[in-house]
Amino acid sequence: MVQAAAMARRFYLEGKSKIQIAEEFGVSRFKVARVLETALERDLVRIEIRVPAELDAERSDALRARYGLRHAVVVESPADAEETPDPENLGEVAADLLGELVNEGDVLGLAWGRSTIHMAAALDRLPPCTVVQLTGVYDAGTSERGSVEAVRRAAQVSGGDAHPIYAPMLLPDAATAAALRNQTGIARAFEYFDKVTVACVSIGSWEPGISTVHDMLSEEERAHYASLGVAAEMAAHLFDAEGRRIGRDLGERCITVKAEQLRRVPEVVAIAGGQRKAAAIDAVLRSGLVTSLVTDTSAADYLMTAGPAPRPARDRTDPDGI
């Protein structure tokens, strides 16, 4: 028992290999393996995996495996909270994840969204990196603004350069959007889109208050895209329930990163939660554009049973084949 305790201490606490332990005690490494296994069986060694109370490790791992994501973090939905999309604590958790994913010299891209704004406000550490805005701003006369501020906040924390976009996300027509893209400041930001290494995006479902694009369109336009089967929106790109992009003409009127550019970004982190967004999250995950997800338990429970198993997110080909 004393010898087993000593071997276990060397292996679990001191990080020594089984070969090193075998040499020290004059036994074979197979003997060491059997002793360590017996130590676990007899409760001499207890292994406890502890995560912060607000994180659901089991759901996180199951969700990551189901969608083939690189990272999935599921936050416990507060029992007394109203059923609102994107609880603010998602932004705090996403800020921690981003602090781990971003490396020095990276180019971090931030798309408009309440969750990304909450994430930027919660940032307290970020390696030196360039921060670029991936979409124009949402301006519908509300207080829900902050895309530019989010970019500047992230750049301030990292100590890197900021490249904000001072332009609306949606324009009246393609010609106006094209003219704005050619303006010096906006064009400079667009030059960084192909250099983005980590992107942070939000997801919206096709209903009032849950999709930025939905709220900016006219009733006639909303009806038109609804007739095409729109189920989700991300960075002004529309998707049906199978993750196929629809309404591509809308992109010509928008100041936003192209879907093809997002698909080439090594790490695309989506922040979205709540039962009202669950189906939209599933649709965007099926598009192959997103590699990692921060969500909550109410959305995760839906996602775990949402239709047939999707293609792994690491298979980032377009569902349309385009």
Side-chain angles (χ1 to χ4, degrees):
M1 186 70 74
V2 171
Q3 185 184 64
M7 288 184 177
R9 178 175 292 277
R10 302 290 194 281
F11 186 74
Y12 291 107
L13 299 183
E14 298 176 11
K16 291 188 176 181
S17 70
K18 293 174 184 176
I19 293 177
Q20 290 173 315
I21 297 170
E23 291 175 352
E24 178 181 348
F25 287 88
V27 297
S28 71
R29 60 187 176 90
F30 302 104
K31 169 71 172 178
V32 173
R34 286 196 299 272
V35 168
L36 293 175
E37 185 177 342
T38 301
L40 282 171
E41 292 173 350
R42 296 185 177 179
D43 210 25
L44 181 63
V45 173
R46 297 180 183 178
I47 298 176
E48 185 176 0
I49 300 172
R50 302 182 66 182
V51 296
E54 70 271 15
L55 300 184
D56 191 313
E58 186 175 346
R59 282 186 175 93
S60 298
D61 189 53
L63 195 61
R64 179 200 56 77
R66 173 173 168 78
Y67 285 90
L69 297 165
R70 292 202 187 100
H71 307 277
V73 183
V74 177
V75 180
E76 196 72 41
S77 301
D80 57 347
E82 294 183 12
E83 182 46 52
T84 56
D86 301 340
E88 289 193 23
N89 61 342
L90 293 186
E92 298 170 3
V93 173
D96 287 339
L97 177 61
L98 214 59
E100 298 173 6
L101 295 180
V102 175
N103 296 307
E104 183 173 352
D106 275 350
V107 177
L108 171 62
L110 300 181
W112 192 97
R114 295 178 183 88
S115 56
T116 53
I117 291 171
H118 292 154
M119 180 278 301
L123 281 172
D124 58 11
R125 62 185 175 90
L126 206 59
C129 64
T130 299
V131 186
V132 60
Q133 193 169 323
L134 296 179
T135 62
V137 299
Y138 171 45
D139 186 356
T142 74
S143 60
E144 293 287 358
R145 305 178 189 177
S147 307
V148 172
E149 290 81 357
V151 169
R152 292 196 177 283
R153 165 65 182 168
Q156 180 184 29
V157 173
S158 74
D161 293 333
H163 295 278
I165 294 177
Y166 297 98
M169 181 188 295
L170 180 66
L171 282 304
D173 52 64
T176 304
L180 276 178
R181 291 190 200 102
N182 290 326
Q183 288 190 358
T184 304
I186 298 174
R188 187 177 298 117
F190 268 57
E191 290 174 358
Y192 279 90
F193 286 1
D194 287 326
K195 304 174 185 177
V196 173
T197 50
V198 180
C200 192
V201 300
S202 297
I203 296 172
S205 57
W206 200 246
E207 58 179 302
I210 315 292
S211 165
T212 301
V213 173
H214 178 281
D215 292 346
M216 289 191 291
L217 293 174
S218 67
E219 288 291 344
E220 183 179 353
E221 290 170 324
R222 293 170 189 168
H224 166 66
Y225 292 116
S227 71
L228 299 179
V230 60
E233 172 256 317
M234 179 184 71
H237 300 292
L238 308 183
F239 305 86
D240 68 10
E242 300 301 319
R244 295 182 292 257
R245 285 182 57 216
I246 60 174
R248 294 174 185 245
D249 59 307
L250 183 65
E252 298 175 5
R253 296 169 50 194
C254 292
I255 302 297
T256 185
V257 62
K258 295 179 180 177
E260 293 76 13
Q261 291 172 310
L262 271 180
R263 201 176 297 279
R264 292 193 294 270
V265 175
E267 187 74 73
V268 179
V269 181
I271 314 169
Q275 206 163 28
R276 294 174 65 187
K277 278 194 176 183
I281 297 170
D282 176 63
V284 172
L285 291 182
R286 290 176 185 275
S287 75
L289 290 172
V290 170
T291 61
S292 298
L293 175 69
V294 177
T295 190
D296 65 352
T297 51
S298 63
D301 287 344
Y302 173 92
L303 293 170
M304 289 307 300
T305 58
R311 297 174 307 132
R314 53 183 170 269
D315 174 16
R316 302 187 72 189
T317 55
D318 193 325
D320 296 337
I322 298 176

